[in-house]
Amino acid sequence: MADLHHAAVPADRIAAELTSALRDTAGIAGFTPLTPSPDGALLLSTVTPATGPQSVGTGSLFTTLTGATLPAALNGTGAEGYLTGSTAGQLDFRDTVKDRVPLIIGIVLAAALLLLTVVFRSVVVPLKAVALNLFTTAASYGVLVAVFQWGWGSGLIGVSEPVPIESFVPMMMFAIVFGLSMDYEIFLLSAIAGSWHRTGDNTLAVGTGLAATGRVISSAALIMTAVFLSFAASPTVVVKMLAVGLAVSVVLDATVVRLVLVPSAMFLMGWANWWLPRFRDRVLPRPDTEDGPDTDDRPDTDDRPGASPSPEPDAATAAATAAGTSSARGEA
C-alpha cells in the first residue's frame, strides 16, 4: 500500500515505480496491479510470497520490502509505503517483541537482584538465584523447541507436524517461569537464611532449610505441573506450547535446581554466601523481615549487636530468690 497524501508526483508514475520494484524483488510469487482507492489517496496491491506465512523466507521478504524495496521505489516522491494484512502484522509484532525482550529481561533481572540483595544482605545469593532462574527458563525454551519445532514427541500431545513457536510465547513463559522459580527460591533461601542467622553454621543452615522446605516445594510443583499439563489437551497449538513449557520448567526448577543445584552451590561456597561489602551494607535499607539478619531467636539474649547472653543465676541467688518469694506469699 502506498499513501499518496503527501505525494509530489502523479499516481501513475508512483505505480510504475512500485511495479518495477516488486517485479525485481526475489521471493515474490506474484502481485496484483496497483489500483487507486475510491478517494485516490492510496495505491493498493496484494503481494503473494513464494513461501508459507511462517517460513524464514517470508520473514526475509518482509524485511526486504520494508527496509529496501518500498523506500527505494518511493524515494523522492513524497509517498509512503506500508505492508498490511495478517502475515505482515504477525511479522511486525515478532520484530517488536524481539527488540523489546532484552529490555524486559534486563529490568526484571535487575529488580530481582536488587530486592534479593536488600532482603538477604548478600552478593552471592542473589547472583546465584538469578543465574539458576535463567537456567530454568533457558532449559524450558530448549524443550519447547525440541517438541514443537523438531517434532520430538509432539505426537503425544496431538501435534502431527513441526510448527514454529509463536513470537509472544517466549516472553509470556519468561514472566511466568521467572515468577514461579523466584517464589520457590525465596521460600528455600528464607529457611536457610533463618537457620544461618541463628546458628552461624552454613552447612547446618543449608541442610535445615532444605529439610524444612523440600517436601513443600515438591508438593507445590507437583500440583502446578498437573495443572499445566491438563492444558496440553487443548486443540489450540499455542495453549499446548504454554502448557508443555511451563510444566517442564516447574519440574526442572523443583527437582534439579531447588533440590540439587541450590543446596550444592551454597554448601560449596560456605561463608561466602553471606558476604556483603560494608559500604553496600550501609547504603542498602534494612527491611523488617522474619528471621532476618537482625533477628535473634535465642532465649534470654540481649538484642543489641555484640551483646552476650545473660548469665545464668548461681545456686545461692536462686535459693535467696525462692526464699524471698515464699516469705512474701506468707505475709500476704
Side-chain angles (χ1 to χ4, degrees):
M1 179 183 71
D3 184 359
L4 306 180
H5 282 91
H6 303 287
V9 298
D12 55 351
R13 178 181 169 185
I14 295 176
E17 293 287 343
L18 286 174
T19 300
S20 176
L22 293 175
R23 187 179 294 115
D24 296 337
T25 302
I28 295 180
F31 61 93
T32 60
L34 283 101
T35 57
S37 61
D39 60 356
L42 302 174
L43 286 176
L44 304 174
S45 175
T46 301
V47 178
T48 304
T51 53
Q54 299 287 350
S55 67
V56 177
T58 302
S60 300
L61 176 60
F62 174 80
T63 303
T64 301
L65 289 174
T66 55
T69 303
L70 293 181
L74 299 175
N75 185 30
T77 64
E80 297 181 358
Y82 301 95
L83 294 183
T84 61
S86 59
T87 302
Q90 291 175 0
L91 293 173
D92 191 49
F93 178 72
R94 178 205 64 185
D95 293 340
T96 302
V97 171
K98 182 178 65 176
D99 294 338
R100 296 293 188 272
V101 161
L103 177 62
I104 295 172
I105 293 178
I107 293 175
V108 172
L109 295 183
L113 191 64
L114 177 61
L115 290 175
L116 289 175
T117 303
V118 170
V119 172
F120 293 106
R121 321 299 295 180
S122 168
V123 174
V124 175
V125 167
L127 289 175
K128 173 194 60 62
V130 169
L132 291 179
N133 287 348
L134 286 178
F135 167 80
T136 301
T137 305
S140 63
Y141 285 170
V143 172
L144 208 61
V145 170
V147 172
F148 291 95
Q149 293 191 178
W150 298 349
W152 293 5
S154 58
L156 299 176
I157 56 175
V159 179
S160 58
E161 60 182 3
V163 294
I165 307 284
E166 289 290 341
S167 56
F168 63 87
V169 169
M171 185 171 60
M172 290 187 63
M173 279 188 55
F174 171 77
I176 299 174
V177 170
F178 194 86
L180 289 174
S181 181
M182 191 59 70
D183 185 33
Y184 295 153
E185 177 78 9
I186 291 179
F187 186 55
L188 174 59
L189 288 180
S190 297
I192 295 176
S195 179
W196 160 259
H197 293 304
R198 288 191 299 269
T199 65
D201 187 335
N202 181 75
T203 302
L204 178 62
V206 172
T208 301
L210 184 61
T213 61
R215 292 183 178 180
V216 178
I217 291 177
S218 299
S219 300
L222 181 62
I223 295 172
M224 294 302 298
T225 302
V227 171
F228 289 143
L229 285 179
S230 66
F231 287 97
S234 171
T236 306
V237 177
V238 175
V239 176
K240 293 179 184 291
M241 290 179 184
L242 291 172
V244 172
L246 294 175
V248 169
S249 66
V250 169
V251 171
L252 288 175
D253 191 79
T255 55
V256 177
V257 175
R258 298 305 145 216
L259 300 183
V260 178
L261 295 182
V262 170
S264 300
M266 296 192 70
F267 173 79
L268 293 175
M269 287 184 287
W271 62 269
N273 289 310
W274 316 106
W275 173 77
L276 183 68
R278 290 184 179 275
F279 74 91
R280 185 171 296 182
D281 186 44
R282 291 192 296 267
V283 171
L284 293 175
R286 291 183 174 271
D288 184 13
T289 58
E290 184 179 0
D291 287 337
D294 295 329
T295 302
D296 192 351
D297 293 336
R298 291 172 295 182
D300 298 331
T301 58
D302 193 338
D303 289 336
R304 293 171 299 175
S308 58
S310 302
E312 295 291 337
D314 55 19
T317 304
T321 302
T325 302
S326 302
S327 175
R329 289 178 179 176
E331 292 176 358

